[in-house]
């Protein structure tokens, strides 16, 4: 069961990478490869601004959790999840971290 769950975390990390990136790349192709335009689009209305802040806070909390657990567990490889969180999103970083965290000990 644990191995299946570990594979599920990895599959969700892949999905959390591919699905959001599809939409980001689609936007950038249509509007030019301008990060400022993408950020402006995130704040086009109160609903999207709220979602941006929700995900930003979740990313900060997840980063702090990863750092605190890495300090205890010494699972240094899990630190790669932090750039994934801020470069791709929480939808990739969280399941990726759970994948690294669920590896067999010993």
């Amino acid at each position: 069961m644990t191995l299946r769950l570990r594979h599920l975390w990895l599959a969700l990390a892949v999905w959390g990478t591919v699905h959001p990136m599809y939409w980001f790349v689609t936007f950038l192709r249509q509007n030019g490869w301008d990060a400022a335009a993408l950020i402006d689009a995130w704040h086009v209305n109160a609903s999207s601004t709220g979602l941006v802040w929700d995900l930003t806070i979740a990313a900060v909390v997840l980063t702090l959790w990863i750092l605190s657990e890495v300090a205890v567990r010494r699972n240094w490889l899990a630190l790669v999840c932090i750039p994934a969180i801020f470069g791709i999103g929480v939808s990739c970083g969280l399941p990726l971290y759970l994948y690294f965290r669920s590896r067999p000990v010993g």
Side-chain angles (χ1 to χ4, degrees), residues 82-95:
I82 295 172
I85 292 167
F86 291 98
I88 300 168
V90 174
S91 62
C92 170
L94 176 58

Side-chain angles (χ1 to χ4, degrees), residues 6-28:
R6 189 158 196 261
H7 286 117
L8 177 61
W9 297 138
L10 187 58
L12 288 170
V14 170
W15 182 26
T17 300
V18 173
H19 199 133
M21 279 300 163
Y22 169 79
W23 294 106
F24 289 144
V25 169
T26 299
F27 176 87
L28 292 171

Side-chain angles (χ1 to χ4, degrees), residues 1-105:
M1 180 64 171
T2 304
L3 187 60
R4 281 192 221 171
L5 188 57
R6 189 158 196 261
H7 286 117
L8 177 61
W9 297 138
L10 187 58
L12 288 170
V14 170
W15 182 26
T17 300
V18 173
H19 199 133
M21 279 300 163
Y22 169 79
W23 294 106
F24 289 144
V25 169
T26 299
F27 176 87
L28 292 171
R29 281 186 181 160
Q30 292 172 352
N31 298 287
W33 292 82
D34 182 11
L38 181 61
I39 293 169
D40 288 343
W42 292 343
H43 297 283
V44 73
N45 60 42
S47 176
S48 62
T49 299
L51 185 58
V52 166
W53 278 109
D54 180 62
L55 291 172
T56 301
I57 293 165
V60 169
V61 170
L62 179 55
T63 298
L64 292 173
W65 180 40
I66 290 170
L67 291 172
S68 65
E69 286 230 330
V70 164
V72 172
R73 297 170 62 99
R74 304 288 188 232
N75 184 7
W76 305 113
L77 189 56
L79 290 173
V80 303
C81 299
I82 295 172
I85 292 167
F86 291 98
I88 300 168
V90 174
S91 62
C92 170
L94 176 58
L96 184 62
Y97 178 69
L98 293 173
Y99 170 77
F100 284 122
R101 191 179 189 279
S102 65
R103 76 175 179 170
V105 179

